[in-house]
Amino acid sequence: MSSRKLQVVSPVPADIDIANSVVPLHISQIAKDLNLDPDHYDLYGKYKAKVLLSVIDELKEGQDGYYVVVGGITPTPLGEGKSTTTVGLCQALGAFLDKKVVTTLRQPSQGPTFGIKGGAAGGGYSQVIPMDEFNLHMTGDIHAITAANNLLAAAIDTRMFHESTQSDKALFNRLCPPNKEGIRTFNDIMFRRLKKLNITKTKPEDLTPEEVNKFARLDIDPDSITWRRVMDVNDRFLRKITVGQGPDEKGMVRETGFDISVASEIMAVLALTTSLSDMRERLGKMVIGNSKAGEPVTADDIGLGGALTVLMKDAINPTLMQTLEGTPVLVHAGPFANIAHGNSSIVADKIALKLVGPGGYVVTEAGFGSDIGTEKFMNIKCRYSGLKPQCAIIVATIRALKMHGGGPQVTAGKPLDHAYVTENVALVEAGCVNLARHIVNTKAYGVNVVVAVNMFSTDTDAEIAAVKNAALGAGAFDAVLCTHHAHGGKGAVDLGIAVQKACENATQPLKFLYPLDISIKEKIEAIARSYGASGVAYSEQAEKQIEMYTKQGFSGLPICMAKTQYSFSDNASAKGAPTGFVLPIRDVRGSIGAGFIYPLVGTMSTMPGLPTRPCFYDIDLDTETGRVKGLS
Amino acid sequence: MSSRKLQVVSPVPADIDIANSVVPLHISQIAKDLNLDPDHYDLYGKYKAKVLLSVIDELKEGQDGYYVVVGGITPTPLGEGKSTTTVGLCQALGAFLDKKVVTTLRQPSQGPTFGIKGGAAGGGYSQVIPMDEFNLHMTGDIHAITAANNLLAAAIDTRMFHESTQSDKALFNRLCPPNKEGIRTFNDIMFRRLKKLNITKTKPEDLTPEEVNKFARLDIDPDSITWRRVMDVNDRFLRKITVGQGPDEKGMVRETGFDISVASEIMAVLALTTSLSDMRERLGKMVIGNSKAGEPVTADDIGLGGALTVLMKDAINPTLMQTLEGTPVLVHAGPFANIAHGNSSIVADKIALKLVGPGGYVVTEAGFGSDIGTEKFMNIKCRYSGLKPQCAIIVATIRALKMHGGGPQVTAGKPLDHAYVTENVALVEAGCVNLARHIVNTKAYGVNVVVAVNMFSTDTDAEIAAVKNAALGAGAFDAVLCTHHAHGGKGAVDLGIAVQKACENATQPLKFLYPLDISIKEKIEAIARSYGASGVAYSEQAEKQIEMYTKQGFSGLPICMAKTQYSFSDNASAKGAPTGFVLPIRDVRGSIGAGFIYPLVGTMSTMPGLPTRPCFYDIDLDTETGRVKGLS
């Protein structure tokens, strides 16, 4: 492998300064290390390449490597370093332990980069580079999602508009116009709708007026539309809007709104699809709302399944990048962890597992704490992929454990309380109930659990020993201290060795938390129990939606819980390992094309805002060198 | 040059079938023919590359080639083949006449590809390939514009929101927060605002309360905001919307709307910029509205000039593609011809002119008829670039000339009247008044004018002879028949030879239609006279805006007329060469960063809609081969 020696400086410089201090290898070098020929990928500049999906077919006879998922304990608002640990571990495996390794990561949303959050490429000496290319545009996948999502949205409103002003016959004649010889035909996508309507006729002129009505009039119920527009910008003023106020739209106004692009169902489809033909079917099956008769209306009904696939045809190829130490990274898909499953793509993992082969490692990150991230990784992503991880990592920090032990509130942007920067073993020990529950829940999937303590300079030996004890006591395979933020891969060598042992000693099959063939409510309740809940309370709206999805035939889908990441429960301030609470389900929605039902536990914001002084004030281009400044 | 022999079939197959019948050369081969090293470009897949702007500096000592602009007569709604002629001419020059040649074209808007229009890569045997990559996403430039435009829009609304809820002091403290050592500082972009306000202090604590107020409170007048959001989708329901209706936005609702992305001022900036530092300045200078005191508020005032430049840093590099016959094409920028100047970028032309060198040819297209396209090419684009064309082509068709001679209305989607498919020399002769005025107007810039008659199979020898006579009579350097649609470059060899002679015999300097240092009204009137108008009538709103822009110091900018392309006048049904009319100016707006004032002659739609049966019904992916089907 083309690993690269890092020159580590202390104290650790700013992320962008570290990222800029390293000249990345040409990405064709990284590809070559993975035995990829130039035919296997498309270059996007010098440091990014899209690995073509056809590689899966070519390698299908090969054996998979080990599969490792990185989750975390319930985090503070500052984050506990899951991405950094994921990258650091891979730098250790690839650059120090001489293993074949690929990191698979989500593509970050561009919008928040200009708001509060900054980038998402890891941090310190464990980063994906070039950092600006990772955080901005990358290879255009999110832009493709935005375009596809919004074409569907435009088509919905326009279709309702045209239906409102035209007779069945006029609509039908426009949908199936005569060609030069005066002959009308159905095209491919129309045959999909005919099949759905159980119409077996193949010539437009043979349809009865009733069949013409059923075929041409979607009769969408405006109040049932769940499809919203999206934008990869933090634009809070688009959360709720009224459209159609132009004079040409003849008063057909409607309330709707924009979500951030990564919340689009198309992003969830990209993350869960397994091939081009599978993506075509999932995109066509996406439900945008119901007809007035209560039947689901799909993208294919609107005529768009094919065009959406065309817009997404390059996005399905994962993007190859590299870590600071020259190990390969596949960046692909980034579904919103609030309302979707928050995991990077299945296709990237499949390609990566073949590329590293037996004895190699694919390390992927599951968004949020393991109650959300790892749970969805197992029950949704692995269920659709058929892949099985051997090892799950749980990233913990002394800081977060102290918070769970009863430490004062941790708030982003405010100085940390004294309790967090001086030794307090009792607080750490008390907080380990949170870690313990994450360990027990994760072990139940049949994987070996390794706890990674992401070390801060203020952590003491006694505090770290307390965590290790608690972790092993709760059934962890191992618990290891890491300093990859300060030292790069070298700081995660012990973690790498522990992960190797955990993988080599994995023997159990993957056990899901729930089977698919029970009711929606039974599935929700199984997940709620894993949170520590004593029961579930459904709102009237949730009951109505569960009934509707069941009636429509969608009850066999897995469940993707939309819950706060700051507690096992619905109450973000309930730290530690709460029990006995009743989990409220406010509403239930479906991403039918992607393939899951998502109950809303409380209110989830799907469009962030900008603060008074956004990050963008500091971001500029050095127009002499072309380098990005001020990105953090 | 790596030219490629075309196997021409008759009758001419569908565009997509021709495009798919040719295997493109690897783009690195096209680059090599232009003496570009791999260091000079970034690959985007196998058939596209972004040529890095640094090439301009490297080649600055070299001499330019000939510069040719392609305009047209006033078109029918079917279009008269300007893009096709531009591509066909280059195929002739490169593949048959052994000249170094680069075609520079606009990037088409993706949205309309899914509506009525289909693609914009030329047609028949004169096309840019791969056609699907040209029409969809390309290298992401329009997506970058959308992201940048909408970040600014979000920042405007959010800034007004934060100003409405915070005191001067609170705002100021948030804008200049203390660092870890408790010290407050201004950053680079803040110094730009301080300079604009004539505040020379460098430390936040030194500002007086009055200065704090001026610095921190932009005090934007909501009614003055001209910055709209954009999307590259035909979404008519976004033409007029109300934003801010979410509960968290506290009732700060506002009416606004979306334009199609290519109508963004950022697109016009991209087309007119000359370097990274110039782009940084133009983006920062964009005016989004006025303060309540009537002062223009810019992107830099909002803190965004730098971040917008970062989002646009790759978009400034033109995209190299190829024609069906393997000649090079630079695709770059596509400002909306309705409200902007409708020409591809200055930087692509500058790079291309150096790459072809003396004796080589750069052929570019100017959107719409030459009354709009060529006029803006000369008075706006060439004024900013300092480049001078030697030859201007005017594309004419017998069909359009018959329409100008009094033929029946031509409507897209309806069969052509008998008059257009049978010989009628008198109708053609009568219509040549339109051609003649375009010739006279274009010649006035000091270029040699070559008329290209884009031949249809129904055109007769006598009709073509009539056009040639009229063209030469009006002062054209030459008039040539072309059949590049049916025959590729071979069908435009005569045109190529005529263009060569015209360039070699060009002697005059470039003469602008108006100087910059006269008033806005005098400039508008000079352009109106070139249309045949006897005068100009300003609405009250137009008068008010002219007064405002003059007061704000923007009267020295060139004028970009927003007028119908279907007539020299404001009345689309006034064919031929109307005179004596009074040109109405309904409103006057500014693209201050891009660098022009644009008067609105009538109402311009800036967001297209979808028809009842959009093109997208036919577009699908062959999931076996990965090929796009049904794109036209």
Side-chain angles (χ1 to χ4, degrees):
Chain A
M1 308 284 275
S2 310
S3 72
R4 184 197 300 112
K5 274 261 176 300
L6 271 182
Q7 298 296 332
V8 171
V9 172
S10 177
V12 180
D15 290 353
I16 181 83
D17 294 332
I18 295 176
N20 281 340
S21 72
V22 168
V23 179
L25 297 167
H26 195 285
I27 200 68
S28 60
Q29 184 59 46
I30 304 285
K32 199 176 162 197
D33 290 341
L34 290 169
N35 296 319
L36 289 169
D37 296 333
D39 276 357
H40 293 136
Y41 57 86
D42 280 340
L43 289 172
Y44 278 64
K46 295 167 182 63
Y47 308 122
K48 300 188 300 285
K50 273 191 170 286
V51 178
L52 304 177
L53 204 57
S54 52
V55 170
I56 290 187
D57 285 337
E58 220 175 292
L59 297 176
K60 64 171 180 259
E61 305 301 331
Q63 271 188 282
D64 285 355
Y66 292 121
Y67 194 28
V68 179
V69 60
V70 179
I73 63 168
T74 305
T76 72
L78 308 177
E80 309 316 311
K82 262 195 339 289
S83 303
T84 307
T85 304
T86 306
V87 174
L89 168 60
C90 292
Q91 292 181 183
L93 288 166
F96 290 87
L97 297 169
D98 207 25
K99 303 293 178 194
K100 280 230 168 198
V101 64
V102 174
T103 318
T104 60
L105 285 181
R106 287 172 292 169
Q107 178 186 359
S109 183
Q110 181 173 284
T113 306
F114 295 97
I116 300 177
K117 179 180 144 307
Y125 285 101
S126 296
Q127 292 189 55
V128 181
I129 54 171
M131 176 203 184
D132 57 335
E133 299 188 23
F134 178 80
N135 283 305
L136 306 176
H137 305 310
M138 211 180 62
T139 48
D141 296 352
I142 294 179
H143 294 321
I145 289 165
T146 305
N149 183 97
N150 292 345
L151 177 58
L152 180 51
I156 294 166
D157 277 312
T158 312
R159 180 65 174 249
M160 289 197 293
F161 177 75
H162 289 304
E163 287 193 16
S164 76
T165 58
Q166 293 176 39
S167 69
D168 288 358
K169 202 179 154 193
L171 264 179
F172 187 65
N173 288 347
R174 284 207 172 83
L175 288 170
C176 305
N179 64 11
K180 279 180 188 166
E181 288 78 40
I183 298 169
R184 296 179 189 276
T185 50
F186 293 121
N187 72 2
D188 288 353
I189 204 161
M190 292 175 178
F191 279 112
R192 289 176 181 249
R193 178 156 173 81
L194 290 167
K195 193 176 167 193
K196 175 178 169 180
L197 298 172
N198 290 316
I199 300 172
T200 54
K201 297 172 182 172
T202 57
K203 291 179 185 168
E205 62 268 28
D206 292 346
L207 264 58
T208 65
E210 197 197 351
E211 287 169 336
V212 164
N213 170 276
K214 279 167 72 181
F215 173 79
R217 196 167 289 284
L218 301 181
D219 205 27
I220 298 167
D221 173 4
D223 294 332
S224 76
I225 297 174
T226 48
W227 198 263
R228 290 157 59 90
R229 291 169 176 84
V230 300
M231 192 184 272
D232 193 7
V233 174
N234 288 15
D235 193 344
R236 55 186 294 169
F237 277 75
L238 294 182
R239 286 171 184 161
K240 192 169 171 192
I241 65 172
T242 298
V243 301
Q245 296 179 316
D248 293 336
E249 281 61 67
K250 302 180 182 171
M252 283 194 64
V253 297
R254 189 169 74 82
E255 267 192 4
T256 179
F258 278 71
D259 297 328
I260 193 142
S261 295
V262 294
S264 169
E265 181 173 346
I266 297 178
M267 175 60 96
V269 167
L270 180 67
L272 289 173
T273 193
T274 50
S275 69
L276 271 178
S277 57
D278 174 78
M279 183 168 76
R280 167 68 188 85
E281 296 309 314
R282 285 179 193 259
L283 291 172
K285 281 193 303 192
M286 295 188 303
V287 173
I288 61 91
N290 294 333
S291 69
K292 287 177 186 147
E295 295 293 324
V297 177
T298 66
D300 270 345
D301 288 327
I302 293 168
L304 259 173
L308 299 182
T309 308
V310 167
L311 281 169
M312 292 293 295
K313 79 180 174 64
D314 298 323
I316 201 174
N317 301 317
T319 298
L320 183 64
M321 294 188 71
Q322 64 191 289
T323 66
L324 280 172
E325 296 187 79
T327 65
V329 180
L330 281 178
V331 188
H332 202 215
F336 208 48
N338 282 315
I339 59 159
H341 66 298
N343 281 273
S344 60
S345 82
I346 286 177
V347 295
D349 289 2
K350 286 202 161 191
I351 291 173
L353 284 164
K354 297 294 184 201
L355 289 178
V356 300
Y361 292 81
V362 173
V363 183
T364 191
E365 184 190 345
F368 288 172
S370 65
D371 51 327
I372 310 183
T374 305
E375 186 270 304
K376 294 174 184 174
F377 173 83
M378 301 289 184
N379 292 303
I380 302 177
K381 184 175 174 181
C382 289
R383 182 138 24 198
Y384 279 119
S385 71
L387 299 172
K388 182 207 178 302
Q390 287 74 39
C391 171
I393 293 172
I394 297 177
V395 177
T397 60
I398 300 294
R399 175 178 71 193
L401 289 169
K402 285 178 173 172
M403 176 187 75
H404 288 296
Q409 204 180 338
V410 176
T411 309
K414 289 199 181 155
L416 277 175
D417 187 274
H418 186 70
Y420 294 104
V421 290
T422 49
E423 183 172 281
N424 191 331
V425 178
L427 217 47
V428 173
E429 282 173 341
C432 281
V433 290
N434 183 271
L435 173 63
R437 185 182 285 168
H438 285 290
I439 293 170
V440 171
N441 281 0
T442 304
K443 252 191 101 173
Y445 294 105
V447 294
N448 285 327
V449 174
V450 173
V451 172
V453 182
N454 182 19
M455 189 179 175
F456 293 178
S457 59
T458 49
D459 299 346
T460 71
D461 290 349
E463 288 173 334
I464 292 159
V467 182
K468 288 190 181 180
N469 275 339
L472 297 173
F477 183 87
D478 204 347
V480 187
L481 187 68
C482 348
T483 61
H484 45 273
H485 187 276
H487 302 122
K490 201 176 169 187
V493 167
D494 289 348
L495 178 61
I497 293 168
V499 165
Q500 181 181 352
K501 282 187 193 154
C503 287
E504 288 169 357
N505 287 287
T507 52
Q508 294 186 62
L510 177 56
K511 285 173 279 191
F512 296 118
L513 183 58
Y514 54 84
L516 290 182
D517 60 359
I518 57 176
S519 72
I520 292 175
K521 282 191 173 181
E522 286 169 315
K523 285 183 255 196
I524 291 173
E525 283 147 25
I527 299 170
R529 277 193 300 275
S530 80
Y531 295 160
S534 58
V536 178
Y538 300 92
S539 73
E540 207 177 306
Q541 168 69 8
E543 293 277 5
K544 206 185 81 186
Q545 291 289 102
I546 290 171
E547 195 189 319
M548 181 190 80
Y549 286 125
T550 305
K551 200 173 130 194
Q552 291 179 341
F554 301 133
S555 66
L557 295 174
I559 300 296
C560 185
M561 211 71 110
K563 179 184 76 69
T564 176
Q565 71 265 40
Y566 295 120
S567 171
F568 272 108
S569 80
D570 60 298
N571 172 11
S573 58
K575 303 301 179 188
T579 53
F581 58 93
V582 174
L583 193 77
I585 306 293
R586 186 175 64 84
D587 199 353
V588 176
R589 300 197 188 144
S591 284
I592 305 301
F596 55 78
I597 299 286
Y598 62 101
L600 298 180
V601 182
T603 315
M604 293 293 135
S605 170
T606 48
M607 176 55 94
L610 292 169
T612 305
R613 187 193 186 287
C615 301
F616 63 60
Y617 266 92
D618 299 310
I619 299 174
D620 204 346
L621 195 75
D622 180 327
T623 55
E624 291 297 313
T625 63
R627 279 224 163 145
V628 175
K629 302 187 292 188
L631 201 64
S632 61
Chain B
M1 308 284 275
S2 310
S3 73
R4 184 196 299 112
K5 273 261 176 300
L6 271 182
Q7 298 295 332
V8 170
V9 172
S10 177
V12 180
D15 290 353
I16 182 83
D17 295 332
I18 295 176
N20 280 341
S21 73
V22 169
V23 180
L25 297 167
H26 196 285
I27 200 67
S28 59
Q29 184 59 47
I30 303 285
K32 198 176 163 197
D33 291 340
L34 289 170
N35 296 320
L36 289 168
D37 295 333
D39 276 356
H40 292 135
Y41 58 86
D42 280 341
L43 289 172
Y44 278 65
K46 295 168 183 64
Y47 308 122
K48 300 188 299 284
K50 273 190 170 289
V51 178
L52 304 177
L53 203 58
S54 51
V55 170
I56 290 186
D57 283 338
E58 221 174 292
L59 298 175
K60 66 170 179 259
E61 304 302 331
Q63 271 188 283
D64 284 356
Y66 293 120
Y67 194 28
V68 179
V69 60
V70 179
I73 63 169
T74 305
T76 72
L78 309 177
E80 310 316 311
K82 260 195 342 286
S83 303
T84 307
T85 304
T86 306
V87 174
L89 168 61
C90 292
Q91 292 183 183
L93 287 166
F96 290 88
L97 297 170
D98 208 26
K99 303 294 179 195
K100 280 231 167 197
V101 63
V102 174
T103 318
T104 59
L105 286 181
R106 287 172 292 169
Q107 178 186 1
S109 183
Q110 181 172 284
T113 306
F114 295 98
I116 300 177
K117 178 178 144 309
Y125 286 101
S126 296
Q127 292 189 55
V128 180
I129 55 172
M131 175 202 183
D132 56 335
E133 299 188 23
F134 179 79
N135 283 304
L136 306 175
H137 304 311
M138 211 179 63
T139 47
D141 296 352
I142 294 180
H143 295 321
I145 288 165
T146 304
N149 183 98
N150 293 345
L151 177 57
L152 180 50
I156 294 166
D157 276 314
T158 312
R159 179 64 175 248
M160 289 196 295
F161 177 76
H162 288 305
E163 287 193 16
S164 77
T165 58
Q166 294 175 39
S167 69
D168 288 359
K169 201 178 157 195
L171 265 178
F172 187 65
N173 287 347
R174 284 207 173 83
L175 289 170
C176 304
N179 64 12
K180 280 179 188 167
E181 288 78 40
I183 298 168
R184 297 179 186 276
T185 50
F186 293 120
N187 72 1
D188 288 353
I189 204 162
M190 292 174 176
F191 279 111
R192 289 177 180 247
R193 179 156 173 81
L194 291 167
K195 192 176 167 193
K196 176 178 167 179
L197 299 171
N198 291 316
I199 300 173
T200 53
K201 298 171 181 172
T202 58
K203 292 179 184 169
E205 62 266 28
D206 293 345
L207 264 58
T208 66
E210 197 197 349
E211 287 169 337
V212 163
N213 170 276
K214 279 167 72 180
F215 173 80
R217 195 167 289 283
L218 301 182
D219 205 28
I220 297 167
D221 174 5
D223 294 333
S224 75
I225 298 174
T226 49
W227 197 262
R228 289 158 59 89
R229 290 169 178 84
V230 300
M231 193 184 272
D232 193 8
V233 174
N234 287 15
D235 194 344
R236 55 184 294 169
F237 277 75
L238 294 182
R239 286 170 184 161
K240 193 169 171 191
I241 65 173
T242 298
V243 300
Q245 297 179 315
D248 293 336
E249 281 60 68
K250 302 181 182 171
M252 284 197 63
V253 298
R254 189 169 74 82
E255 267 192 6
T256 180
F258 278 71
D259 298 327
I260 193 143
S261 295
V262 294
S264 169
E265 180 172 348
I266 297 178
M267 175 60 96
V269 167
L270 180 66
L272 290 173
T273 194
T274 50
S275 68
L276 272 178
S277 57
D278 174 78
M279 183 167 77
R280 167 67 188 87
E281 296 309 313
R282 286 179 192 258
L283 291 173
K285 280 194 304 191
M286 295 187 305
V287 173
I288 60 92
N290 294 333
S291 70
K292 288 179 185 143
E295 295 293 325
V297 177
T298 66
D300 270 344
D301 288 328
I302 292 167
L304 258 173
L308 299 181
T309 308
V310 167
L311 281 169
M312 292 293 294
K313 79 181 174 64
D314 297 323
I316 201 173
N317 300 318
T319 298
L320 183 64
M321 293 188 71
Q322 64 190 289
T323 66
L324 281 171
E325 297 186 79
T327 65
V329 180
L330 281 178
V331 189
H332 202 214
F336 209 47
N338 282 315
I339 59 159
H341 66 298
N343 282 273
S344 60
S345 82
I346 286 177
V347 294
D349 290 1
K350 286 203 161 191
I351 291 173
L353 285 164
K354 297 294 184 200
L355 289 177
V356 300
Y361 292 82
V362 173
V363 184
T364 190
E365 184 190 344
F368 289 171
S370 65
D371 51 326
I372 309 183
T374 306
E375 186 271 304
K376 294 173 184 174
F377 172 83
M378 301 290 184
N379 291 303
I380 302 176
K381 184 176 173 181
C382 289
R383 183 137 27 195
Y384 280 119
S385 70
L387 299 172
K388 183 206 176 303
Q390 287 75 38
C391 170
I393 292 172
I394 297 178
V395 178
T397 61
I398 299 295
R399 178 177 70 195
L401 290 169
K402 283 178 175 174
M403 176 187 75
H404 288 296
Q409 202 179 342
V410 176
T411 310
K414 290 198 181 156
L416 276 176
D417 187 275
H418 186 69
Y420 292 104
V421 290
T422 49
E423 183 173 279
N424 190 331
V425 178
L427 217 49
V428 173
E429 282 174 341
C432 280
V433 292
N434 183 271
L435 174 61
R437 184 183 284 169
H438 283 291
I439 293 170
V440 170
N441 281 0
T442 305
K443 254 191 97 171
Y445 294 106
V447 294
N448 284 328
V449 174
V450 174
V451 173
V453 183
N454 182 20
M455 191 181 174
F456 293 179
S457 59
T458 49
D459 298 347
T460 70
D461 290 349
E463 288 173 336
I464 291 159
V467 182
K468 287 191 182 181
N469 275 340
L472 296 174
F477 183 86
D478 204 347
V480 188
L481 187 70
C482 346
T483 62
H484 46 271
H485 187 275
H487 303 122
K490 200 176 169 188
V493 167
D494 289 348
L495 178 62
I497 293 168
V499 165
Q500 181 181 351
K501 283 188 193 151
C503 286
E504 287 169 358
N505 287 287
T507 52
Q508 294 186 63
L510 177 57
K511 284 173 278 190
F512 295 120
L513 183 58
Y514 54 84
L516 290 182
D517 60 358
I518 57 177
S519 72
I520 292 176
K521 282 192 174 180
E522 286 169 315
K523 286 183 256 195
I524 292 173
E525 282 147 24
I527 299 171
R529 278 193 300 275
S530 80
Y531 295 161
S534 59
V536 177
Y538 300 93
S539 72
E540 206 176 307
Q541 168 70 6
E543 294 277 5
K544 205 184 81 186
Q545 292 289 103
I546 291 170
E547 193 188 322
M548 181 189 81
Y549 286 125
T550 305
K551 201 173 130 194
Q552 291 179 341
F554 301 133
S555 65
L557 294 173
I559 300 297
C560 184
M561 210 71 110
K563 180 183 74 71
T564 176
Q565 71 265 42
Y566 295 121
S567 170
F568 271 107
S569 80
D570 60 300
N571 172 11
S573 58
K575 304 300 179 189
T579 53
F581 58 92
V582 174
L583 193 76
I585 304 293
R586 187 174 63 84
D587 200 352
V588 175
R589 301 199 186 142
S591 284
I592 305 302
F596 54 80
I597 298 285
Y598 62 103
L600 298 179
V601 182
T603 315
M604 294 291 136
S605 169
T606 48
M607 175 55 95
L610 292 169
T612 304
R613 187 194 185 286
C615 301
F616 62 60
Y617 265 93
D618 300 309
I619 299 174
D620 204 346
L621 195 76
D622 181 328
T623 55
E624 291 297 313
T625 63
R627 278 222 162 146
V628 175
K629 301 186 293 188
L631 201 63
S632 62

